[in-house]
Amino acid sequence: MREAAFVRQNKDKWSRFESALQNKAFITPDELSALYLEITDHLSYAQTFYPRSNTVKYLNTLASQAHHNIYKTKRESPNRVISFFTKEFPKEFYNYQKQLLLAFVVFSIFVAIGSFSAASEAGFVRAILGDAYVNATLENISKQDPMAVYKQMGEFDMFLGITINNIRVALYAFVLGIFAGMGTLYMVMQNAIMLGSFQYFFYEKGLFWESVRTIWIHGSIEISVIIVAACAGLVVGKSILFPGTYTRLTSFVKGVKAGLKIVISTVPFFIIAGFLEGYVTRHTEMPDWLAIIIIALSLCLILFYYVYYPIYLNRKLPHDPQ
């Protein structure tokens, strides 16, 4: 890249960083630290390709001035956890909407593939869900209680087991992103095909609505947040494949940090989903209107927190301190 193009591409960030150092603009310590890492990476790049340029001198001055501001005066807010979930994370998550959309599209495609495969091949459902589950469900259907599987465990045991398992799945989706995102996409494919074949199984038995109004009481949050966790893996994968002006290692470290924040954001939602599955889903006798309200509120909560709120924070409050 020519020096002029490099300067033009990054000068706004440098100006913002310089203004912050001179107390002409307010940014949080975390944002200052992130900008500092970016400045030092740009300095390294400039030293390699434009070793005797004014750009190197300018960036070196900025990096030197910043060290004291960041590492000697940085303080953590006593409300750090609340600030993370209400401002810091959703504002940052705006940058990963494309990865979220990709995870959603891939998941939807493989749900359709799972349904189509189950409709086309009689043994597909058993191959995906296992004979034990299919046989147990058929027995429950014969007893006029097709959703009895959600009543077999104690409420707390089910809540705890499901929550831990879902968090484990989210961590796997995140960690598998180190394989350039392909591991994450493979995990998305597995879960989506399972969901598609699962829903077709009940459709074939004439129990589609019964399965939807029961399973999606917890599944609306559970499935949505698994897609969000897949987004974390794709962020890691992108950091490896497309490092931009960073070194690949620096880009990877930034991607891992960003992905980990995304996974952390899913934990409260997995707890909510686990609670619903352990304590609410088992009540298959509840009226349809109540199930619909729970499902609708759950979907609205997910869409608000991961889609609308990040857009709101960045478009309406672009300079609001976190």
Side-chain angles (χ1 to χ4, degrees):
M1 181 186 300
R2 293 181 180 274
E3 184 179 0
F6 176 71
V7 172
R8 186 167 56 251
Q9 179 177 313
N10 298 291
K11 65 180 181 179
D12 290 342
K13 293 179 182 178
W14 301 344
S15 296
R16 177 164 171 73
F17 187 69
E18 186 174 16
S19 296
L21 292 178
Q22 296 172 358
N23 295 317
K24 295 180 180 179
F26 175 82
I27 60 176
T28 65
D30 284 337
E31 188 178 356
L32 187 65
S33 179
L35 277 173
Y36 173 68
L37 291 175
E38 196 162 0
I39 293 296
T40 55
D41 196 70
H42 290 169
L43 174 59
S44 176
Y45 183 89
Q47 286 173 331
T48 300
F49 295 101
Y50 329 114
R52 297 182 181 180
S53 67
N54 289 330
T55 302
V56 171
K57 295 177 182 178
Y58 172 70
L59 291 175
N60 191 50
T61 300
L62 281 184
S64 299
Q65 291 176 350
H67 187 274
H68 177 79
N69 293 46
I70 296 172
Y71 294 104
K72 296 297 178 67
T73 62
K74 181 178 177 180
R75 296 179 180 178
E76 292 292 345
S77 167
N79 297 319
R80 184 71 172 82
V81 174
I82 295 175
S83 176
F84 171 81
F85 283 102
T86 59
K87 289 287 185 70
E88 178 185 336
F89 169 75
K91 196 167 191 295
E92 182 178 335
F93 190 69
Y94 174 80
N95 299 316
Y96 311 121
Q97 296 291 300
K98 289 182 180 178
Q99 288 90 328
L100 179 63
L101 178 61
L102 175 60
F104 173 75
V105 169
V106 171
F107 190 89
S108 299
I109 289 172
F110 280 106
V111 166
I113 290 174
S115 299
F116 178 78
S117 299
S120 303
E121 175 57 50
F124 186 79
V125 172
R126 287 185 177 273
I128 296 297
L129 301 179
D131 287 332
Y133 178 83
V134 172
N135 291 337
T137 302
L138 289 174
E139 184 177 349
N140 291 333
I141 292 174
S142 68
K143 294 177 180 178
Q144 304 300 311
D145 193 5
M147 300 295 137
V149 66
Y150 295 103
K151 307 173 186 178
Q152 293 175 352
M153 292 179 63
E155 292 166 329
F156 180 77
D157 289 341
M158 192 169 191
F159 157 66
L160 187 62
I162 290 296
T163 301
I164 292 174
N165 180 69
N166 286 338
I167 293 174
R168 179 182 61 82
V169 170
L171 287 172
Y172 278 149
F174 162 59
V175 171
L176 288 173
I178 65 174
F179 299 106
M182 297 307 297
T184 299
L185 291 176
Y186 178 75
M187 192 167 186
V188 168
M189 178 192 73
Q190 282 186 314
N191 283 274
I193 287 177
M194 185 178 295
L195 176 62
S197 60
F198 176 86
Q199 287 288 194
Y200 184 82
F201 172 70
F202 284 100
Y203 168 78
E204 188 178 40
K205 302 300 177 184
L207 295 166
F208 180 73
W209 171 243
E210 178 68 18
S211 69
V212 168
R213 51 96 61 200
T214 301
I215 296 162
W216 287 89
I217 286 175
H218 63 270
S220 52
I221 291 181
E222 180 179 280
I223 297 300
S224 298
V225 187
I226 286 175
I227 293 173
V228 172
C231 169
L234 295 179
V235 168
V236 175
K238 182 186 177 185
S239 73
I240 297 170
L241 294 173
F242 307 105
T245 58
Y246 297 108
T247 63
R248 201 171 298 277
L249 178 59
T250 300
S251 178
F252 173 67
V253 171
K254 288 174 65 66
V256 168
K257 288 181 178 179
L260 185 58
K261 286 183 180 181
I262 296 172
V263 172
I264 290 172
S265 80
T266 66
V267 173
F269 292 99
F270 279 131
I271 292 174
I272 295 171
F275 174 83
L276 289 173
E277 187 164 359
Y279 289 89
V280 181
T281 300
R282 65 180 58 241
H283 296 290
T284 55
E285 75 283 356
M286 77 169 65
D288 286 353
W289 64 265
L290 180 56
I292 291 171
I293 288 175
I294 294 173
I295 293 169
L297 289 176
S298 297
L299 290 174
C300 286
L301 175 63
I302 293 295
L303 289 173
F304 172 80
Y305 189 72
Y306 286 106
V307 179
Y308 171 78
Y309 192 46
I311 294 173
Y312 170 79
L313 286 180
N314 280 273
R315 291 186 178 176
K316 301 296 183 182
L317 306 169
H319 303 301
D320 186 52
Q322 296 180 15

